[in-house]
Amino acid sequence: MKLNKITKAALCMSLLAAMGCTGDFEDINTNPNGITPELFEQDFNHIKGGFAPMFNNIQVLTPEWVYQLQQGLNCDIWSGYMATPTGFAGGINNTTYSLVDGWNGFIWDYAYSNVMFNAYDIAQKSKGKYDQFYALSLILKVEGMHRLTDTFGPIIYSKFGTTDSTIEYDSQQEVYNQMFSELDFAVAELTKREDAGEASTFATTDMSGYGGSYKAWAKFANTLRLRLAMRIVKVNPALAKTQAEKAIAHKYGVFTTNADLFKVVSPVYTNPIATISGAWLDIRMSADMESIMGGYNDPRLATYFDTSTQFPGQYKGVRTGIDIAAKSDHQDFSGIGAVVRSKEIVLFTTAEAYFLRAEGALRGWNMGGDAKSLYEAGIAASFEQRGASGAAAYIADNVKTAKAYVDPNFPVNNSPALNNVTIAWDAAATNEVKLQKIITQKWIAGFPEGQEAWSDYRRTGYPKLFPVLKNYSGTTITTEFGVRRINFVQSEKAGNAGGVATGVAKLGGPDNGGTRLWWDTTGANF
Amino acid sequence: MKKIFLIFMIVFTAQVSLAQVKNVKGVITDSDGMPLPGASVAVQGGQKGATTDFDGLYSIDVQKGQTLVFTYVGLETQNIVVGDAATINVKMQVAASNALNEVVVTSLGIKKTRKSLTYAAQELKGEELTRVRDANLVNTIAGKIAGVAVTKSSSGTGGSTKVVIRGNSSVSNNQPLYVIDGIPLYNGSSGQPNDSFGSTSTGNRDGGDVVSLINPDDYEGMTVLKGAAASVLYGSQGANGVILLSSKKAKAGKPLLTVSSVTTFESAAYLPKFQSDYVAAPGADESWGAAGKSKDHVKDFFQVGNTQITSVGYSTSSENSSTAFTYSNTSGTGIMPGNSIKKNNFGIRQTAKFFDDKLLFAANANYTSQTIINKPVNGFYFNPLTGVYLMPRGNDFDYYKNNYEVFDPNRNLMAQNWMTNRDIMQNPYWGINRNKSEDKNNFFNGALSLTYKANNWLSIAGRYSYNRVESDFDKKIYATTQGTISHINGRYYVENALSTQRYADLIATINTKFSDDFSFNANIGTSVTNTLGNQKTILDSGIGGGLKYANWFTLQNFNNNSGNYQTIDTRKEVQSVFAATTFGYKDMLFLDVAARNDWSSTLANTDSAGYFYPSVGLTALLSEMVTLPEFINFGKVRATYAEVGNDVYPFVTVPTYYYTPGVTDPKPKVAPKEGTSLKPELKSEYELGTEWRMFNNRFAFELSYYNSETKNQYLQVVAPKGNSQGVDFYGINAGSIENKGFEAVVTAGIFRGDKFSWDSSVNFSQNKNKVKEIPTELGGRVNLTEAGVNSYRYALIEGRPFGVIEGINFKKDAQGRILLNDDGTIQKTGFEEVGNSNPDYMIGFSNSFKIGSFFANVLIDGRFGGNVMSLTQAQNDSFGVSRATGDARNAGGVAINAVRASDGTPVTSMDAQLYYTQVGGRAGITGEYVYDATNVSVREISIGYNFNAKRLPFIQTASVSLIARNLFFIYKDAPFDPNIALSTGEGLQGVDIYGQPSTRSIGLNLNVTF
């Protein structure tokens, strides 16, 4: 009896004690370092917060090693811009066409977890309610994700955000069509607001230097449309023409002055290439750059590259795909110059807009100018952007061509020049030669953003690049044509194997680096 | 005449009715001074009797001159004639014929007779913890307890230790709970590495744990409760087993002063093997150049480390109070230059009794402060070993040692001097001197307890304890440190972590008999535990951000704020009520029934914050129930079933947005999927066992079989990108892990003589583990360590044992020939299972010898089965520094059984460089670097001498011994010590990535008690 009473009393006391206190549990279980969702909706931060990671990860700004894997050791090299003196993985890696899955997964994963996710997240929160944010997010999404389809081909795009266990890939054609229509929406929405004289609500969030201007963003969207249009010119010339002319015909048009160009202005981070080149000595000027810009004695060289510490006063490039015995063999060749020691990362130059129009004009499209004047305006814009002088003389130079490449200590890497076009426009030349000039100048002007240059190289074959001397692809990638794409990534094969299968089916070829993308046809340029 | 009268008196006292009745009290203890509850006291020839309470106290009315008979099963019965004294304290000795009935400390500090236990509990006496002393108490239990796997971290003296009891059962945490005097100890780590490359900010560092900070001298013994049944009273914290420590109590009698001093010398054992026949090409990082002799500088890099532990203790006790004080100082240097440790432990314990001994008060406080300079890291960054091992041969190591920095006139500072700018291999002496790190750990443990004995069958105890751990880490990285890990002006990294635990309980203990045949014990209580785990402030000037002025290490010199942040790992409160009861029948049949209900704050906003779990167990003493052959002294069978619940991660059910500047955007990291709720994990286990003693207790064995399954494990699955909640991960309950195992403990007194004795014991344990279920959303797997850019991955895979090591293999044809590309390169597979990190079975074999005043102890520890991978060897191979590469070059290439894939041309030899640069390396064909983890080592040896105290003034006992730890391996396959792990967390198991080599330690132990 006594026992029972005491047991009961103890149990009741404890239960009371316990039950009485669980009211604090939600507070205790709230991370004091987190921001509650309610707090975050103030100032529309729940929408605006998603923009910074998009800006910061179109090209990964930090940490540097991720940039190196996301872009530095793939398209920056395959574009012919840069080369690495380091024999990563025993020299058997992307640069020698043995595609490294452990590196290349970063391209996909960073795009999806930062660009694509936030575009989706912003859309969820703003579509139909705050359409200005939705429109802006679409432009950033297209800028970020076209790079991804241009790298892999079929990607997850329209099906993104579904909760199905298998997420289907879109074909590259489907992705391009959707991107065009997304740009349609964005341009219409921003134009409407600009015309209504609406003040921008994006100024403090805008990392582009446009200060939130809807007009500037619409102009960027038009220029982006022009880029995408030209990309598909070989596979669908009619649509390419329609889209390109639509961009030019819009009331705000495309980039014309260097104030228009699209860049990411980071308050914190310097272009990661500065560290990778300056501190790590992992990336150098390429042999192609030395050959072409050196041959032209291009005034922009001084901002693009530092002179070699091993060969003082000289710009020395490293050839890609060579046998690397020691990093020190080439690490003291030219590093990347002042252009990357900056917190401004230019992703789309005004010069590129002119060169796109020049090519369009060459193809007989209505580009608001003739090919020659647009070509020359492109060069002039690039000179102005880089603070280089002597544009007029450069444009008129009909003598200089690319020079032979000499590796001072390893003659096995030497090569005669591959490109023989001069700078000056030659009305009498064939369209093929004219195109080579346009793309060569576009290539020079676009430095150091390797993604677009690699796409142009695959589409046009220009400028001609020194072939690799070591090809460890096991016959999947030819030395003649180089890397055409990157195979699908490990994270997808592990987590969305069914989706990858749909991607492979839509790719129309084996899932390796030699399969050409939809827009990359084997047909002639004209 | 007087004598005769006395005898007469004694014999007839009982009949003398006028004789005076008086009350006699006292405490009954065992030979170690531990109080014996449940001992009986009877008046010889009379009806009266009493039993001791849980503190060994008895009280009986008796007449002067009567004889009191003290009995306790397994101990020598004593008869004492009552004289004038009102207090008779009895110390009972182990009976020569029966060494069975010791008392064991079980959950919540509750003492139980060993015979009544329904589950496996194994004890270690205090001397086992200090005989061959290690600065970390836990390292001394390796090989001594069946079913307990002890793995040291590779971070040297002061590092943490991973202990797994009866196999890994949880995805998130498998460490046991440590309990001191019934109160749970907070044993978190401020950080464990889980990156196969190494952190670019600090290297792969071991943040240390708490149990490594306590002083082994403060404890008189340890009990390991292995199963769920034993630990049900600790709830979720005890789901992985419980290690109970009992602190030394002041013993009644005269004051004691103990002094001990241990000095050990550690030397690097089991270094990788290096070639000395080829040097690097000029300017090359890798040693694939011409033939040329180089000296093996690696051996000279390591030094003889030493550890000096000095302890002083004092205790005294009077009738109503006792005091014990200990102080211990540890100082040492590691085997790597620049590594040192200093540790101070203070402990004080006070007890007092009031109100006729009805109220017992006890308080103790322990404080430890520890400082470690350059605690060894593993992985490729900030690790001096990479530079030491990989230095391009042909360079003069001593030159770079003596000139690790040289003046740079362009910057007007001292700059690192090294032949390469490779991120993974700096000048080791630059790293030691100019990337110096300091780990400070301060630990306070204070506890108060009040026990009130209401009457002879009920007592109520309340306890409160406070643990506070401060872990501070400071790393100053000087300008000209390699650019991947530092800014051009240097880098400053500071981490301050605070963890606290507040625990309080209130427990009523009932100890009574329903009748002569039925006894009843019960503990009914409630407790509350408040935990704050790793509230951190991290300051990091970073690589991109950097310092404004070179080598000025302070916050105001940071270029920006982007590397600074605050985080918190855990904050939670668990409230509990519990009850445990034991019904005994005639001291031969015992039934345990226990139950507990927890309410955890981590389950806020779920269907129920509370969860209930029970246990039941039954023990039968066969030797009391039936007549067994004479040579059998004791036989028992037992069975138990128990469940243990476990709550989920903190903060998951109340998602907030989180932001680290420049790294992530503000979004919630993890939440339960919309429309779903979380529930607690549930571990269920049944256990069967039997225990026998025979031949006058000279031979004994205990067998246990257990089968456990942990279900509803809390897992985080990657949420679909762009889900409506915006989370990276969904928290779900899924996954199930099963462990089945068998344990045997056999002890034998092989020889017992006056001059010579030999006692031996064998611990055997086998565990079979299976990951039964991992949800399809996770692809049937959970990667505990991601591969990153290396060919090592560590994962849980459905249908496989816990802890699969994955790597890359040769791609082979049907005939087992390696496939080659046309250019001669080797074809590789994707990630495949290449091994498993867990042993199949373990055996510990310990022997103690006494020869006169000399004594000797030898412990042999074996782990059988399981695998380890060595990325160290792989990387050494690809850099052409390993002996294998030298031998291959001397042999003119590597013999291989290969075939060209395109045309089937057989290839039988490959150039050594071409082979090892593809097969070796951290991203190479790591399946070739997997070794059998089986090893048998001479874990502990001590040889000593007990001085004859009678001949020495003031001295009660004195001994001196020569001790050795990890003396040598009897068998080992791997090129390193497989008992060392890179992390004591869940990841990075079964792999060596430039971990500090295992050490062999030899020293001298001196103990004196005054």
Side-chain angles (χ1 to χ4, degrees):
Chain A
M1 265 315 283
K2 194 161 62 175
L3 191 75
N4 271 340
K5 260 186 195 166
I6 288 166
T7 314
K8 264 189 193 161
L11 261 172
C12 289
M13 242 171 59
S14 341
L15 273 168
L16 267 174
M19 298 305 281
C21 303
T22 58
D24 299 341
F25 274 10
E26 186 167 343
D27 279 346
I28 293 172
N29 204 31
T30 304
N31 189 328
N33 296 317
I35 312 161
T36 61
E38 299 75 39
L39 196 66
F40 201 48
E41 283 184 23
Q42 298 175 120
D43 280 336
F44 300 112
N45 285 329
H46 66 306
I47 297 172
K48 290 176 172 177
F51 279 95
M54 292 178 80
F55 279 110
N56 285 335
N57 291 287
I58 294 171
Q59 270 190 7
V60 173
L61 281 183
T62 187
E64 290 88 347
W65 66 268
V66 174
Y67 173 84
Q68 197 178 18
L69 302 182
Q70 187 237 8
Q71 174 152 349
L73 288 172
N74 52 75
C75 59
D76 282 353
I77 285 174
W78 299 329
S79 61
Y81 278 161
M82 302 174 223
T84 178
T86 313
F88 294 106
I92 299 167
N93 57 50
N94 282 354
T95 68
T96 48
Y97 297 176
S98 172
L99 302 188
V100 183
D101 288 340
W103 296 357
N104 300 333
F106 285 87
I107 306 171
W108 182 284
D109 295 346
Y110 267 65
Y112 278 95
S113 55
N114 294 289
V115 178
M116 199 67 185
F117 164 71
N118 285 297
Y120 183 84
D121 190 43
I122 293 166
Q124 299 286 95
K125 293 168 179 166
S126 65
K127 193 174 174 180
K129 282 187 284 185
Y130 312 105
D131 273 330
Q132 72 277 30
F133 291 121
Y134 177 49
L136 290 159
S137 73
L138 285 176
I139 300 171
L140 278 171
K141 178 171 96 166
V142 173
E143 163 63 14
M145 297 306 290
H146 86 73
R147 306 161 68 91
L148 206 73
T149 179
D150 290 347
T151 300
F152 294 98
I155 58 169
I156 297 171
Y157 203 68
S158 67
K159 303 293 190 302
F160 184 87
T162 59
T163 51
D164 308 342
S165 57
T166 290
I167 303 174
E168 192 187 335
Y169 284 39
D170 292 331
S171 70
Q172 188 169 50
Q173 183 175 11
E174 289 162 343
V175 175
Y176 264 74
N177 286 336
Q178 188 178 334
M179 290 194 297
F180 285 130
S181 66
E182 285 169 342
L183 291 176
D184 288 343
F185 176 87
V187 171
E189 179 66 28
L190 295 178
T191 307
K192 185 182 83 190
R193 288 179 186 260
E194 178 71 20
D195 290 352
E198 193 179 301
S200 173
T201 49
F202 194 57
T204 53
T205 313
D206 195 348
M207 294 173 69
S208 71
Y210 292 155
S213 161
Y214 294 152
K215 182 179 173 181
W217 275 93
K219 194 185 280 188
F220 171 47
N222 289 333
T223 319
L224 193 54
R225 181 193 302 279
L226 179 61
R227 174 193 273 183
L228 300 182
M230 192 59 76
R231 185 93 76 237
I232 63 169
V233 69
K234 283 164 80 173
V235 68
N236 191 345
L239 181 62
K241 179 169 188 282
T242 313
Q243 290 291 339
E245 290 180 345
K246 187 177 185 175
I248 304 296
H250 184 264
K251 65 193 286 190
Y252 299 142
V254 297
F255 295 167
T256 52
T257 71
N258 279 321
D260 293 335
L261 59 71
F262 181 69
K263 64 195 176 194
V264 175
V265 185
S266 171
V268 178
Y269 300 107
T270 300
N271 191 326
I273 300 172
T275 298
I276 298 167
S277 169
W280 304 354
L281 310 182
D282 268 348
I283 202 83
R284 305 280 92 184
M285 179 192 204
S286 70
D288 307 284
M289 271 282 165
E290 184 193 334
S291 166
I292 295 173
M293 289 187 79
Y296 289 161
N297 195 18
D298 198 302
R300 288 166 289 187
L301 265 176
T303 54
Y304 284 13
F305 301 105
D306 298 331
T307 52
S308 163
T309 52
Q310 190 175 351
F311 307 100
Q314 293 186 47
Y315 292 103
K316 279 313 297 175
V318 181
R319 185 163 173 180
T320 286
I322 57 173
D323 196 13
I324 296 172
K327 182 178 180 181
S328 56
D329 291 345
H330 295 95
Q331 71 177 14
D332 297 322
F333 283 30
S334 285
I336 316 303
V339 67
V340 294
R341 291 191 280 270
S342 162
K343 289 178 179 167
E344 294 191 1
I345 289 93
V346 177
L347 292 173
F348 204 138
T349 66
T350 302
E352 182 187 338
Y354 280 113
F355 292 124
L356 286 164
R357 289 167 70 193
E359 183 179 346
L362 194 62
R363 294 179 182 278
W365 303 348
N366 182 3
M367 293 285 108
D370 63 90
K372 176 176 189 288
S373 60
L374 291 167
Y375 171 73
E376 291 173 350
I379 297 174
S382 179
F383 270 63
E384 187 197 87
Q385 181 200 341
R386 310 297 184 177
S389 57
Y394 182 84
I395 289 167
D397 188 335
N398 62 1
V399 177
K400 292 195 200 75
T401 59
K403 62 176 186 178
Y405 173 69
V406 176
D407 186 334
N409 297 322
F410 301 90
V412 66
N413 301 330
N414 293 351
S415 172
L418 301 181
N419 295 282
N420 53 9
V421 294
T422 59
I423 301 162
W425 190 257
D426 177 4
T430 62
N431 272 359
E432 197 64 43
V433 169
K434 285 174 180 163
L435 180 65
Q436 187 176 359
K437 290 192 183 211
I438 292 171
I439 301 298
T440 301
Q441 285 302 323
K442 191 182 179 185
W443 181 76
I444 295 172
F447 188 84
E449 208 286 277
Q451 176 71 37
E452 191 58 22
W454 180 44
S455 292
D456 271 342
Y457 173 75
R458 285 177 290 165
R459 177 174 68 87
T460 66
Y462 300 124
K464 293 172 184 166
L465 303 176
F466 296 124
V468 294
L469 299 176
K470 296 278 170 189
N471 181 338
Y472 294 115
S473 71
T475 72
T476 58
I477 299 168
T478 65
T479 302
E480 182 184 3
F481 296 112
V483 181
R484 308 311 287 187
R485 67 181 284 276
I486 291 173
N487 54 285
F488 293 123
V489 300
Q490 295 288 346
S491 62
E492 279 287 293
K493 287 175 186 165
N496 184 25
V500 174
T502 66
V504 174
K506 290 175 178 179
L507 179 65
D511 180 25
N512 62 41
T515 300
R516 286 169 179 264
L517 303 183
W518 167 69
W519 51 252
D520 178 15
T521 71
T522 52
N525 280 321
F526 293 96
Chain B
M1 190 59 208
K2 236 182 185 176
K3 263 186 190 165
I4 294 167
F5 179 71
L6 210 70
I7 293 165
F8 179 85
M9 283 300 290
I10 291 167
V11 173
F12 295 98
T13 320
Q15 276 77 40
V16 180
S17 56
L18 290 176
Q20 225 182 338
V21 174
K22 62 187 249 183
N23 183 268
V24 172
K25 285 193 288 195
V27 61
I28 304 182
T29 60
D30 65 13
S31 56
D32 293 329
M34 275 275 281
L36 290 172
S40 1
V41 187
V43 179
Q44 195 169 52
Q47 305 282 315
K48 277 186 194 154
T51 50
T52 54
D53 65 12
F54 273 82
D55 289 297
L57 293 170
Y58 74 94
S59 165
I60 192 168
D61 291 334
V62 67
Q63 291 160 2
K64 187 174 170 183
Q66 283 185 315
T67 301
L68 287 176
V69 181
F70 298 89
T71 53
Y72 193 83
V73 185
L75 300 182
E76 197 97 60
T77 300
Q78 285 193 36
N79 296 335
I80 294 175
V81 177
V82 177
D84 289 324
T87 302
I88 299 177
N89 293 328
V90 180
K91 184 181 263 193
M92 299 185 75
Q93 302 298 328
V94 176
S97 61
N98 194 341
L100 161 72
N101 256 32
E102 64 269 51
V103 174
V104 290
V105 177
T106 66
S107 306
L108 300 164
I110 297 160
K111 291 160 199 145
K112 284 191 171 183
T113 51
R114 184 171 178 87
K115 65 180 178 187
S116 71
L117 294 185
T118 60
Y119 46 78
Q122 205 172 338
E123 283 184 288
L124 282 184
K125 297 287 179 208
E127 62 165 16
E128 294 283 347
L129 306 177
T130 52
R131 186 195 296 134
V132 181
R133 195 185 299 253
D134 191 285
N136 184 348
L137 167 88
V138 180
N139 291 335
T140 57
I141 68 177
K144 293 178 185 166
I145 310 254
V148 177
V150 176
T151 314
K152 275 170 80 164
S153 89
S154 66
S155 57
T157 307
S160 58
T161 296
K162 183 181 175 84
V163 175
V164 175
I165 300 178
R166 288 187 171 173
N168 290 288
S169 62
S170 166
V171 176
S172 50
N173 175 32
N174 290 299
Q175 293 264 24
L177 172 70
Y178 293 88
V179 172
I180 295 178
D181 295 334
I183 299 175
L185 174 77
Y186 174 83
N187 187 37
S189 170
S190 69
Q192 284 297 324
N194 194 11
D195 182 337
S196 65
F197 210 104
S199 158
T200 56
S201 46
T202 59
N204 264 349
R205 61 180 281 259
D206 170 8
D209 57 11
V210 176
V211 76
S212 66
L213 295 173
I214 65 175
N215 181 1
D217 280 308
D218 287 351
Y219 303 96
E220 64 183 4
M222 175 189 279
T223 309
V224 179
L225 310 179
K226 299 169 188 175
S231 50
V232 67
L233 286 182
Y234 287 110
S236 31
Q237 286 181 292
N240 302 318
V242 181
I243 294 181
L244 303 163
L245 288 161
S246 310
S247 56
K248 278 186 187 156
K249 312 209 168 42
K251 286 169 190 165
K254 69 176 195 170
L256 284 183
L257 181 63
T258 52
V259 178
S260 78
S261 165
V262 184
T263 307
T264 55
F265 296 93
E266 288 88 29
S267 57
Y270 330 115
L271 293 176
K273 293 188 166 57
F274 297 96
Q275 60 93 4
S276 55
D277 296 338
Y278 296 88
V279 297
D285 289 348
E286 289 132 10
S287 302
W288 289 110
K293 286 284 173 195
S294 62
K295 96 173 209 212
D296 183 1
H297 60 270
V298 176
K299 275 196 297 254
D300 299 337
F301 171 76
F302 294 101
Q303 60 188 24
V304 174
N306 72 77
T307 308
Q308 167 72 46
I309 305 172
T310 310
S311 305
V312 185
Y314 160 83
S315 72
T316 182
S317 172
S318 69
E319 204 167 327
N320 291 318
S321 70
S322 73
T323 302
F325 171 81
T326 55
Y327 167 75
S328 171
N329 174 283
T330 304
S331 70
T333 55
I335 58 168
M336 283 212 250
N339 172 216
S340 65
I341 179 171
K342 277 200 170 14
K343 179 164 80 170
N344 288 293
N345 294 82
F346 301 87
I348 186 157
R349 183 179 165 86
Q350 184 73 42
T351 64
K353 292 173 188 167
F354 304 97
F355 310 126
D356 267 354
D357 296 353
K358 276 189 179 295
L359 187 67
L360 185 70
F361 168 81
N364 67 283
N366 297 80
Y367 183 75
T368 305
S369 74
Q370 174 179 280
T371 302
I372 300 179
I373 306 294
N374 282 339
K375 188 190 261 193
V377 299
N378 58 65
F380 292 98
Y381 288 140
F382 292 113
N383 186 347
L385 289 182
T386 53
V388 175
Y389 290 178
L390 298 176
M391 182 190 78
R393 297 304 193 264
N395 286 289
D396 181 357
F397 189 76
D398 289 337
Y399 163 75
Y400 288 106
K401 173 184 179 177
N402 299 325
N403 302 280
Y404 63 82
E405 57 185 3
V406 291
F407 185 69
D408 176 357
N410 294 322
R411 292 194 65 188
N412 199 29
L413 52 65
M414 295 299 281
Q416 176 172 198
N417 182 28
W418 192 231
M419 77 297 293
T420 174
N421 182 37
R422 192 82 171 239
D423 58 344
I424 59 162
M425 44 182 289
Q426 297 196 89
N427 184 326
Y429 293 93
W430 173 268
I432 288 162
N433 292 291
R434 295 288 178 255
N435 297 164
K436 191 181 274 188
S437 69
E438 184 176 86
D439 278 87
K440 279 191 178 170
N441 289 281
N442 297 319
F443 170 58
F444 172 77
N445 176 18
L448 299 172
S449 85
L450 268 179
T451 308
Y452 179 70
K453 288 190 216 318
N455 52 43
N456 65 351
W457 57 268
L458 172 69
S459 70
I460 297 167
R463 296 183 287 201
Y464 173 81
S465 89
Y466 178 64
N467 287 178
R468 181 184 174 92
V469 194
E470 290 156 6
S471 304
D472 299 336
F473 178 77
D474 181 293
K475 192 169 182 72
K476 296 182 175 72
I477 299 162
Y478 279 67
T480 72
T481 294
Q482 210 280 337
T484 306
I485 46 182
S486 171
H487 182 256
I488 189 165
N489 287 337
R491 181 178 189 180
Y492 187 38
Y493 185 95
V494 180
E495 184 176 311
N496 296 306
L498 171 69
S499 299
T500 61
Q501 178 182 280
R502 286 174 288 146
Y503 171 89
D505 67 20
L506 187 66
I507 301 172
T509 302
I510 296 154
N511 184 12
T512 186
K513 281 190 172 185
F514 294 134
S515 71
D516 282 350
D517 288 346
F518 290 96
S519 66
F520 175 69
N521 296 315
N523 297 280
I524 300 161
T526 179
S527 70
V528 57
T529 310
N530 252 295
T531 312
L532 174 71
N534 288 325
Q535 176 178 289
K536 287 186 188 175
T537 299
I538 291 165
L539 307 178
D540 178 12
S541 64
I543 304 163
L547 296 173
K548 184 166 172 55
Y549 300 109
N551 299 338
W552 182 23
F553 301 105
T554 184
L555 179 58
Q556 60 266 40
N557 192 33
F558 283 23
N559 278 334
N560 63 46
N561 190 36
S562 64
N564 304 338
Y565 60 101
Q566 293 186 304
T567 66
I568 185 165
D569 285 359
T570 303
R571 185 171 72 176
K572 70 174 177 183
E573 180 171 303
V574 178
Q575 302 170 0
S576 313
V577 293
F578 49 83
T581 56
T582 304
F583 298 90
Y585 173 68
K586 283 191 170 172
D587 251 16
M588 61 172 72
L589 200 61
F590 297 93
L591 173 70
D592 269 6
V593 180
R596 183 182 178 102
N597 202 96
D598 287 341
W599 290 265
S600 170
S601 66
T602 68
L603 290 163
N605 293 339
T606 65
D607 296 341
S608 168
Y611 46 102
F612 172 83
Y613 42 96
S615 81
V616 57
L618 189 66
T619 284
L621 302 186
L622 296 179
S623 48
E624 304 283 318
M625 298 166 102
V626 293
T627 311
L628 296 167
E630 193 136 318
F631 70 90
I632 295 176
N633 307 105
F634 177 78
K636 152 179 160 178
V637 290
R638 54 181 167 79
T640 180
Y641 173 79
E643 293 182 354
V644 183
N646 196 0
D647 55 8
V648 298
Y649 282 21
F651 310 138
V652 177
T653 61
V654 189
T656 53
Y657 288 60
Y658 190 75
Y659 178 61
T660 312
V663 178
T664 57
D665 45 307
K667 58 187 174 189
K669 287 242 169 281
V670 56
K673 190 174 181 175
E674 220 154 35
T676 68
S677 180
L678 287 174
K679 58 188 174 189
E681 296 180 3
L682 184 69
K683 178 175 188 171
S684 53
E685 175 171 303
Y686 68 82
E687 177 180 338
L688 305 170
T690 185
E691 191 177 343
W692 295 85
R693 299 196 177 208
M694 47 198 76
F695 307 119
N696 288 331
N697 293 304
R698 285 276 287 274
F699 180 77
F701 65 88
E702 180 171 11
L703 308 175
S704 307
Y705 171 81
Y706 59 88
N707 185 324
S708 78
E709 183 175 358
T710 310
K711 284 192 244 186
N712 301 333
Q713 301 228 7
Y714 174 76
L715 294 174
Q716 294 190 175
V717 301
V718 176
K721 303 276 158 81
N723 59 81
S724 58
Q725 294 160 268
V727 294
D728 290 347
F729 301 99
Y730 288 140
I732 60 168
N733 286 112
S736 148
I737 297 172
E738 179 188 78
N739 282 282
K740 289 184 223 180
F742 172 76
E743 290 157 0
V745 181
V746 180
T747 56
I750 295 174
F751 189 88
R752 292 231 174 98
D754 287 346
K755 289 282 175 201
F756 175 71
S757 71
W758 176 15
D759 284 86
S760 211
S761 76
V762 175
N763 291 305
F764 171 88
S765 63
Q766 178 205 37
N767 185 61
K768 278 197 178 143
N769 181 295
K770 190 175 169 190
V771 177
K772 284 178 75 177
E773 182 209 323
I774 294 201
T776 47
E777 295 99 305
L778 287 168
R781 66 181 299 133
V782 173
N783 289 342
L784 294 174
T785 302
E786 296 288 349
V789 293
N790 296 336
S791 301
Y792 162 82
R793 186 159 70 188
Y794 186 65
L796 302 188
I797 299 174
E798 187 171 300
R800 305 294 305 147
F802 189 103
V804 169
I805 303 168
E806 294 185 298
I808 307 267
N809 278 321
F810 287 118
K811 199 178 263 182
K812 291 183 176 173
D813 66 6
Q815 300 169 46
R817 295 178 298 180
I818 299 166
L819 293 171
L820 301 182
N821 293 318
D822 290 354
D823 57 13
T825 56
I826 298 168
Q827 297 193 0
K828 313 172 181 185
T829 64
F831 271 100
E832 295 183 339
E833 177 169 344
V834 294
N836 186 283
S837 67
N838 294 298
D840 298 331
Y841 58 96
M842 301 183 288
I843 300 176
F845 178 36
S846 69
N847 292 283
S848 52
F849 303 91
K850 276 192 184 130
I851 310 163
S853 292
F854 288 93
F855 58 89
N857 292 279
V858 179
L859 172 65
I860 293 168
D861 184 15
R863 286 199 196 196
F864 300 84
N867 305 93
V868 286
M869 180 189 276
S870 176
L871 287 190
T872 311
Q873 187 65 33
Q875 186 80 352
N876 288 350
D877 277 356
S878 82
F879 271 63
V881 297
S882 66
R883 178 163 308 163
T885 64
D887 292 348
R889 279 176 278 186
N890 287 334
V894 181
I896 55 172
N897 177 23
V899 62
R900 203 147 75 193
S902 57
D903 58 5
T905 312
V907 177
T908 56
S909 175
M910 187 178 271
D911 170 67
Q913 181 177 3
L914 183 62
Y915 179 84
Y916 282 113
T917 50
Q918 294 185 80
V919 176
R922 55 184 171 73
I925 300 174
T926 46
E928 295 301 297
Y929 294 95
V930 173
Y931 307 88
D932 187 346
T934 299
N935 69 90
V936 179
S937 72
V938 180
R939 177 74 62 210
E940 289 183 4
I941 287 188
S942 69
I943 299 166
Y945 180 77
N946 283 318
F947 292 97
N948 187 343
K950 286 174 190 154
R951 294 190 189 161
L952 301 166
F954 308 118
I955 289 174
Q956 293 190 25
T957 64
S959 70
V960 60
S961 58
L962 192 64
I963 58 175
R965 172 169 290 280
N966 300 332
L967 199 58
F968 59 91
F969 279 98
I970 295 168
Y971 174 83
K972 175 173 76 75
D973 178 46
F976 63 98
D977 181 352
N979 302 309
I980 298 235
L982 300 187
S983 161
T984 57
E986 296 315 312
L988 279 184
Q989 301 299 306
V991 66
D992 177 46
I993 312 170
Y994 291 92
Q996 172 172 281
S998 181
T999 56
R1000 169 186 296 136
S1001 86
I1002 296 175
L1004 201 64
N1005 190 352
L1006 185 68
N1007 286 296
V1008 183
T1009 307
F1010 296 96

